[in-house]
Amino acid sequence: MKVTGTDGKEYTIKPEANLRGADLRGANLSSADLSKANLSGADLSGADLSEADLSKVNLRRAIWNDETVFPEGFEIPEKSGT
């Protein structure tokens, strides 16, 4: 699966993907397999991650907001972005 970020860059969404610092604001990532992906520093503001596989995902310094949709039951780490 590929998505184009708001920065115009194309990102490959797959298990163990390196999405460090990716601009994924408003991206539809529902049902994506992001297991073991590196999303450190990524901007997930307003992204739809519903039903995504976020097992062992790295969200250090990632940014999200109240419009970001995480999978039901996903334990959201302490918010590190604005």
Side-chain angles (χ1 to χ4, degrees):
M1 168 182 194
K2 293 190 185 273
V3 296
T4 302
T6 54
D7 56 3
K9 293 182 183 176
E10 186 173 81
Y11 298 100
T12 300
I13 307 301
K14 64 180 185 176
E16 300 184 36
N18 183 3
L19 299 168
R20 184 174 177 240
D23 187 345
L24 297 170
R25 289 177 286 168
N28 181 357
L29 302 171
S30 60
S31 302
D33 186 350
L34 289 164
S35 56
K36 299 182 185 176
N38 180 2
L39 288 166
S40 62
D43 190 342
L44 300 169
S45 301
D48 180 359
L49 296 159
S50 60
E51 299 183 34
D53 183 350
L54 299 179
S55 57
K56 299 185 181 179
V57 69
N58 178 354
L59 289 172
R60 287 186 195 107
R61 297 182 310 279
I63 300 165
W64 60 86
N65 60 16
D66 293 338
E67 295 175 13
T68 305
V69 179
F70 287 98
E72 187 173 324
F74 179 72
E75 189 173 320
I76 303 168
E78 184 176 322
K79 192 169 183 178
S80 57
T82 56

